[in-house]
Amino acid sequence: MALAITFRNCLSTNLFRDTVIATIDSGAGNSAILCSGFFQENFKSSAYQASKEPNFLTALKKLDSLKTVGIHNNIWLPSYKKFRDNLKNSGVNITAYYKKGFKWHAKIFILLRDDSPVFGIIGSSNITANAFGA
């Protein structure tokens, strides 16, 4: 099994986002799980929408299903729901969960083929402008 460790040292390049999108786009899997403590979708009047990242929606629509799990606190709940709704309204088959009592902070991406994992990322990147955007 291969293992890669990456660090972001350039704001204009986002290996985490690019790898998530490229992996989904590859066709290696037919479903995915995306977990984060924070999903940024117009949070506190910000214009940033993670769902609008280039090629993200196009890749997600190729999946049979996407499950998301979050969030760290209830302040982020409206943003998480908006992220879910924007994906759903764009044609993504998404099921969104959040941990009762919140405090979810794991950042995980798993690509699955027929419920078996084929690729995974465990890291410190949330689905926010600073971590998922360029």
Side-chain angles (χ1 to χ4, degrees), residues 55-86:
N55 305 313
F56 190 40
L57 281 173
T58 303
L60 289 174
K61 288 182 197 180
K62 293 180 179 182
L63 296 174
D64 294 337
S65 65
L66 171 68
K67 291 179 184 172
T68 59
V69 183
I71 57 179
H72 185 65
N73 59 51
N74 65 346
I75 295 168
W76 283 84
L77 185 58
S79 184
Y80 181 47
K81 287 181 176 180
K82 188 167 188 169
F83 176 81
R84 175 205 60 202
D85 293 347
N86 285 346

Side-chain angles (χ1 to χ4, degrees), residues 68-72 80 97-105:
T68 59
V69 183
I71 57 179
H72 185 65
Y80 181 47
Y97 300 94
Y98 63 91
K99 183 184 176 306
K100 185 177 178 180
F102 306 106
K103 303 301 180 199
W104 181 274
H105 209 256

